[in-house]
Every structure is written in structure tokens, then in C-alpha cells.
Amino acid sequence: KPCGEGTLTELKVNARRRTAASIGRFGEEDVFRFRVSQPGRYVVDTRGPTDVYMKLFGPDSPTALIAEDDDSGLASNARIAIDLVEGDYYVQVRHWNRASGVGDYTVAVRKAR
């Protein structure tokens, strides 16, 4: 199913606070969008007690998969570090266990220094 069918939440690059979210029902997929105005290296990651799986789509396409990750972040969190060009990017987050996984997490995107 194409990315972006659910609710779309805007993420601000280098936001002071992480964006709180949660997988509320089995199989749920949360979708976030952020804009890259300066090309460079970016890090998108999740934090929290929930084991999530993350996919990154773009630029300017909710269906062109460019990266995915399961456990590269802290504990069982997802983390993607990648060089991006200008454009809109879409982050899809789901529980790794589609059948019975739910829980809270936070997500953030920052430009690497």
C-alpha cells in the first residue's frame, strides 16, 4: 500500500522537541513529512520503548523508497543517517510486529553537523 494513506504529520528539521507518536492498533503505519532545503547529511530516528520499523521515501515522492531500518538506533529503535538533496521526504513508522505490536515512540530529524 502506498505510503501516505494515513494521517500525515509534519516534522521540522532540527526541531527543539521530538515529535511524540504512537502505534495505537495492530498494523498501523504512521507517516511523517519533512522538507530538506539544504542538501547534506540527515539523521532520522525514533526513541522510546516500542520496537518500530522505519522507511524513508523521497525526494518529492511518497512511494520511492530510499532507506529503511529496524534496530540501528538506541535499544530496538530505528535510525537512518543519509545524504539528502532538496525536496520533501516521507518517513513511515510501524511496529516491527504487525500482528500484535502497539506502543509509544518519538521521532525526530536533524541535519548532521
Side-chain angles (χ1 to χ4, degrees), residues 16-28:
R16 250 183 232 128
R17 306 183 76 141
R18 300 178 64 83
T19 299
S22 89
I23 304 295
R25 61 182 199 281
F26 306 152
E28 180 177 308

Side-chain angles (χ1 to χ4, degrees), residues 34-113:
F34 66 93
R35 173 126 195 104
V36 167
S37 49
Q38 294 178 298
R41 191 148 188 87
Y42 287 79
V43 176
V44 187
D45 72 338
T46 63
R47 301 258 175 95
T50 307
D51 189 353
V52 295
Y53 190 85
M54 181 167 63
K55 291 182 178 182
L56 180 63
F57 300 83
D60 300 321
S61 166
T63 55
L65 179 66
I66 53 173
E68 53 192 311
D69 185 70
D70 186 9
D71 293 335
S72 295
L74 296 170
S76 54
N77 281 275
R79 180 179 186 274
I80 293 172
I82 189 170
D83 292 320
L84 300 177
V85 298
E86 285 179 47
D88 286 324
Y89 291 86
Y90 300 84
V91 180
Q92 180 195 78
V93 178
R94 67 168 172 85
H95 199 283
W96 75 268
N97 183 342
R98 286 177 192 261
S100 63
V102 292
D104 298 333
Y105 66 94
T106 64
V107 60
V109 55
R110 64 184 165 83
K111 189 170 191 302
R113 299 273 174 251

